[in-house]
Amino acid sequence: MATPSYGLAFDARAAAALARAPDIFLTELARGILEGQMLAEREVKERTPTSGAGTLRDSIGALPVQLSGDRVTGLVGTALAYAEPVELGSKPHMPPIEPLFDWVKRKLGLRNADDGKALGIARAIQWKIFHVGTKGAFMFRDTFSAIQPQLDAIMGAAALRAIHKVEGL
């Protein structure tokens, strides 16, 4: 995440505040990162395709903010292995039928009596993925592109709060 630039005077004040009271300055930046993470998490989840079960969407979350030296880092992500092909798409491959079958049943609200119909639809999807692959949803990329100005403003406000706190000492 890029830190906004408000000009040399602001940058000099921020550098002086960081040098004078790094704990106060970094704590304010950590609060800004947390606010940005909450925004990013919400926006990524809204852009995440749903399977009916919501497993991928529910797995997306913010990791704890990390303070290391004069760096503050915050991440939003998921540990689910299939998130990457959902994000980026995939080349043609033969996916297993069971998850597709379960997905079709959930997505279409089919009952056990409709297993033959669900299996036929799942096999058609499997065939298409085998021949064409899948398109990416780009929920992370598009979110961070869309909210970058908001993230810059959040971090700028956090830096300004830090400067005011340190200068008020």
Side-chain angles (χ1 to χ4, degrees):
M1 176 167 17
T3 302
S5 179
Y6 295 101
L8 294 177
F10 180 85
D11 292 345
R13 287 174 65 200
L18 176 60
R20 183 172 171 204
D23 290 345
I24 292 172
F25 197 87
L26 294 175
T27 298
E28 282 304 320
L29 289 185
R31 288 184 178 134
I33 292 282
L34 183 59
E35 183 181 347
Q37 283 179 298
M38 290 187 296
L39 170 66
E41 179 181 335
R42 184 190 74 223
E43 294 295 320
V44 169
K45 284 181 175 183
E46 286 180 6
R47 287 175 171 82
T48 299
T50 180
S51 65
T55 307
L56 178 57
R57 186 175 284 172
D58 291 343
S59 75
I60 295 168
L63 296 173
V65 174
Q66 298 291 315
L67 292 168
S68 176
D70 64 351
R71 292 187 67 105
V72 183
T73 307
L75 300 172
V76 173
T78 176
L80 292 181
Y82 71 90
E84 185 175 0
V86 172
E87 171 74 10
L88 302 174
S90 67
K91 293 180 179 181
H93 67 284
M94 182 58 77
I97 194 69
E98 295 81 14
L100 292 172
F101 175 73
D102 293 340
W103 179 82
V104 167
K105 285 182 71 170
R106 277 194 315 272
K107 195 72 170 173
L108 299 180
L110 299 176
R111 305 275 181 219
N112 287 340
D114 298 320
D115 279 357
K117 180 179 180 180
L119 185 59
I121 294 169
R123 288 201 190 282
I125 294 168
Q126 183 186 44
W127 183 90
K128 182 159 186 189
I129 293 171
F130 178 73
H131 290 289
V132 179
T134 62
K135 289 183 180 179
F138 300 106
M139 61 274 191
F140 286 94
R141 181 199 68 189
D142 292 350
T143 292
F144 285 99
S145 230
I147 68 170
Q148 190 62 55
Q150 290 170 276
L151 295 174
D152 290 346
I154 288 167
M155 293 312 296
L160 194 56
R161 282 193 311 270
I163 290 168
H164 288 152
K165 280 187 177 181
V166 172
E167 289 178 348
L169 292 178

